[in-house]
Amino acid sequence: MAFLLFCVAMLATVDAVTDGMAQKSRQQTGVRSGTSIALQKKVSTVTVSSGRLEKKMAYFGQIGVGSPPQMFSVVFDTGSGNLIIPGEKCESSACLSHRRFKRRKSDTEVAIQCDGSTIQPGEAADEVKITFGTGYIRGGCLQDQVCIGNACTLADFIVSTDESLTPFNAFSFDGVLGLSLDSLAQSQMFSVMSRFAQQDAFQLPVFSVFLSDTDSEASEVTFGQVKSEHMIGNDIFWVDVTGSEGYWQVEIEDITIDNKKQNLCKDCKVAVDTGTSQLAGPSALVSQLRSLLNVDYGCSNFDQLPKLGFVVNGRILNMLPADYVDRTQFSCGLSLMNLDVPPPKGPLFVFGIPFLQRYYSVYDQKNRRVGFSVARHVDTVADGLMVDLDGQDVIRQEVIEEPESEMPTKSPSPRPTSALSGTIEDMPVVAEASSRAECPGHVGKELRHVSWCRACSADQMSRDPVVV
């Protein structure tokens, strides 16, 4: 009887702590126009199997976890769904070289099962093993405050108890904050962006990413806003997300070279992924592109290389040679990895960091769409980057209202409408002065949520969340 009373008291205590955390979360997170996190860039040079040097790149910023907040550097990864940070019980070399979450120093942490459910009296906490292309993470799950800038929410996350030496020991950042759609997370409570949306933390349930390739301008991820200072023109090109896998994935109609269709890609899809350091695509198409582009290993034809474009919803999103060629001091090579995902989920391309340095991207969770605009960099010439199928530049040529949406508008005046585009006036804006990995064979919920096996019905491919 005494044990039963003890269990009831413990349950009441857990409920009280959880209610208190939720109340504190609501108090800390009012409706905000937005918050921005500065991103630090890390570039490493590695030798690939061919013997050629390749650049690997990642961008990461600071978040706070716990009460009071413990700070961690994380990659804001649109290709995964969970927050993963090292735990204090992790004694592997990969963990010891990074900051670890100390549960005893947080007044609000609660241990949970990794499906998001409450741990019942007498029940042991479970663990999740996340297998990547070249390594793994094993850990338990907690619920606590997660703060991005000045906005906080109560969310579930994974704390590692073991991490493989490769690749995690080489990472400059501590963890990964997944920003995919909900279906890639362990549950909706594990989706930090979903938690903010449920609390109406921001005026809009959107976030945007600006990545710079130079030290003269700051990279950042912004929650709740679109920043006009990062865009050339006032047009956001909206594209609906396809599929139910949870990726920010859109359809590709074809591939172009200097705005000419190549009839290479039928029913292709592309996932927009801030956590991938290169572009990726089906191996057969990558081989064809290597032949068509004919990038000289010694870089002798670099200045004569064409634009490489992708046809999306009737527009061509072009990339320059500097975007799709991995150029080092001694060599040049196509910055395009092999990724084979069979139908119906493939063929699949990945727009990684090289694409996202060229295009400012906006992610609208509520309306399941991705927006693109040519990024405004110090040295950007926008001509010919985003064009129609006739090769005519579309930047600044149209002022078009977006389709029906609950997004607030800054101007009530009527304008022509289109299903494809919308101006930044319709959104809160801050205007300021070859690597192939085999699937390790572990097929489970946790694997689908964090690796490329999750996108592949044959479970043949996996990837590291970020390769640096």
Side-chain angles (χ1 to χ4, degrees):
M1 183 68 177
F3 177 72
L4 178 61
L5 292 173
F6 171 76
C7 291
V8 170
M10 287 298 295
L11 281 172
T13 301
V14 170
D15 288 341
V17 170
T18 303
D19 290 343
M21 291 168 66
Q23 182 179 4
K24 183 175 181 180
S25 178
R26 287 191 294 271
Q27 291 172 348
Q28 290 181 334
T29 309
V31 177
R32 295 176 172 84
S33 59
T35 187
S36 294
I37 302 297
L39 299 179
Q40 180 181 348
K41 180 179 64 176
K42 171 68 175 179
V43 181
S44 301
T45 303
V46 298
T47 303
V48 296
S49 56
S50 64
R52 192 175 62 82
L53 296 177
E54 281 187 359
K55 288 189 298 184
K56 302 295 183 181
M57 188 179 306
Y59 292 81
F60 48 93
Q62 297 285 322
I63 65 169
V65 181
S67 304
Q70 301 172 41
M71 302 307 294
F72 294 89
S73 59
V74 296
V75 169
F76 293 83
D77 182 19
T78 57
S80 64
N82 302 303
L83 170 60
I84 306 173
I85 55 175
E88 63 181 333
K89 292 185 178 179
C90 183
E91 299 292 335
S92 63
S93 297
C95 288
L96 294 176
S97 62
H98 295 96
R99 282 171 284 194
R100 296 177 294 167
F101 182 69
K102 296 177 175 57
R103 293 180 58 183
R104 291 168 294 179
K105 291 191 175 181
S106 176
D107 299 330
T108 49
E109 66 84 21
V110 174
I112 59 171
Q113 302 290 19
C114 287
D115 62 359
S117 62
T118 301
I119 299 175
Q120 300 300 321
E123 186 179 37
D126 62 5
E127 283 194 338
V128 61
K129 181 178 180 181
I130 302 170
T131 306
F132 302 101
T134 56
Y136 68 88
I137 286 177
R138 182 184 290 109
C141 298
L142 300 176
Q143 184 180 89
D144 209 337
Q145 291 287 317
V146 177
C147 296
I148 300 176
N150 57 1
C152 297
T153 186
L154 185 66
D156 299 348
F157 56 97
I158 299 169
V159 287
S160 62
T161 55
D162 183 29
E163 295 183 4
S164 59
L165 186 65
T166 303
F168 304 107
N169 192 54
F171 288 171
S172 301
F173 46 88
D174 304 312
V176 176
L177 174 58
L179 292 175
S180 69
L181 295 168
D182 289 353
S183 54
L184 280 187
Q186 292 288 110
S187 71
Q188 196 173 56
M189 278 294 293
F190 281 82
S191 171
V192 174
M193 191 61 195
S194 224
R195 295 294 299 139
F196 280 125
Q198 290 170 4
Q199 295 177 203
D200 293 324
F202 303 112
Q203 191 171 350
L204 288 178
V206 304
F207 63 95
S208 55
V209 178
F210 174 76
L211 302 182
S212 173
D213 194 25
T214 67
D215 296 330
S216 60
E217 51 190 6
S219 301
E220 64 180 4
V221 56
T222 301
F223 293 83
Q225 290 176 328
V226 176
K227 289 194 171 183
S228 61
E229 64 182 280
H230 295 320
M231 301 168 54
I232 294 181
N234 61 353
D235 182 34
I236 299 174
F237 176 44
W238 290 108
V239 186
D240 291 335
V241 170
T242 63
S244 58
E245 293 83 4
Y247 301 115
W248 294 100
Q249 174 182 295
V250 300
E251 292 183 354
I252 297 176
E253 298 161 27
D254 201 357
I255 297 173
T256 63
I257 294 179
D258 276 343
N259 298 328
K260 294 180 181 178
K261 287 186 175 183
Q262 301 298 307
N263 296 317
L264 291 176
C265 205
K266 184 178 181 181
D267 298 325
C268 288
K269 306 171 186 67
V270 62
V272 187
D273 189 353
T274 56
T276 297
S277 63
Q278 291 184 309
L279 307 172
S283 57
L285 292 179
V286 170
S287 179
Q288 288 178 280
L289 287 173
R290 289 186 192 279
S291 298
L292 290 169
L293 295 169
N294 193 28
V295 178
D296 178 63
Y297 180 82
C299 305
S300 63
N301 65 345
F302 181 83
D303 293 334
Q304 288 76 45
L305 291 174
K307 293 175 184 174
L308 174 63
F310 296 86
V311 182
V312 179
N313 259 352
R315 288 189 182 179
I316 301 173
L317 305 181
N318 276 314
M319 301 179 68
L320 303 178
D323 305 322
Y324 66 80
V325 173
D326 188 4
R327 188 178 188 181
T328 68
Q329 184 179 357
F330 307 104
S331 65
C332 284
L334 195 62
S335 182
L336 192 56
M337 300 185 293
N338 292 332
L339 176 67
D340 290 310
V341 179
K345 297 180 180 179
L348 182 69
F349 278 86
V350 176
F351 282 167
I353 287 175
F355 177 87
L356 295 168
Q357 289 173 333
R358 183 59 61 189
Y359 289 91
Y360 180 58
S361 54
V362 185
Y363 305 82
D364 181 355
Q365 185 179 44
K366 185 172 185 179
N367 295 295
R368 288 179 57 86
R369 59 184 182 172
V370 185
F372 301 105
S373 177
V374 176
R376 182 185 295 277
H377 295 297
V378 175
D379 57 350
T380 294
V381 177
D383 293 347
L385 287 176
M386 186 184 293
V387 300
D388 61 24
L389 296 180
D390 294 323
Q392 299 300 309
D393 205 313
V394 297
I395 296 177
R396 297 193 180 94
Q397 290 186 358
E398 36 186 58
V399 179
I400 301 174
E401 187 177 10
E402 59 192 27
E404 289 187 12
S405 168
E406 296 184 14
M407 288 188 175
T409 60
K410 291 178 66 177
S411 172
S413 58
R415 289 179 297 217
T417 61
S418 164
L420 299 180
S421 304
T423 64
I424 58 174
E425 294 178 359
D426 299 317
M427 308 180 69
V429 175
V430 176
E432 300 177 0
S434 160
S435 173
R436 183 171 181 177
E438 296 300 324
C439 181
H442 179 86
V443 181
K445 179 178 179 181
E446 68 277 6
L447 179 61
R448 293 198 306 274
H449 292 318
V450 190
S451 76
W452 280 114
C453 287
R454 63 200 171 189
C456 174
S457 59
D459 295 311
Q460 292 177 342
M461 288 298 301
S462 64
R463 67 155 188 138
D464 294 329
V466 185
V467 182
V468 180

